[in-house]
């Protein structure tokens, strides 16, 4: 039996809604503070998220 990915109708609607308007990013200093806080708490996922968002905000 072939089980391929079947997108749900709500998934398509969510993707369309997300692409309609840009998401504002917090300021770089706020993201760096979040990065330091996550690092202090040894939150690897938080560090990764804050670092990626900081780079993305700095590129704009």
């Amino acid at each position: 039996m072939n089980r391929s990915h079947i997108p749900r109708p709500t998934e398509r609607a969510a993707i369309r809604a997300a692409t309609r308007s840009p998401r504002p990013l917090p300021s770089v200093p706020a993201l760096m503070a979040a990065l330091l806080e996550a690092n202090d708490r040894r939150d690897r996922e938080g560090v990764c998220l804050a670092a990626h968002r900081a780079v993305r905000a700095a590129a704009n």
Side-chain angles (χ1 to χ4, degrees):
M1 180 187 266
N2 184 8
R3 291 182 180 231
S4 61
H5 175 73
I6 300 172
R8 295 178 177 89
T10 54
E11 182 181 2
R12 286 191 189 125
I15 291 171
R16 276 196 313 272
T19 58
R20 265 188 245 132
S21 62
R23 300 286 186 256
L25 289 171
S27 66
V28 174
L31 290 168
M32 292 305 293
L35 177 62
L36 292 173
E37 179 71 23
N39 195 39
D40 288 345
R41 293 175 185 252
R42 304 202 191 295
D43 178 6
R44 290 186 350 195
E45 187 175 338
V47 167
C48 187
L49 179 64
H52 282 95
R53 290 186 79 185
V55 169
R56 195 167 143 210
N60 289 334

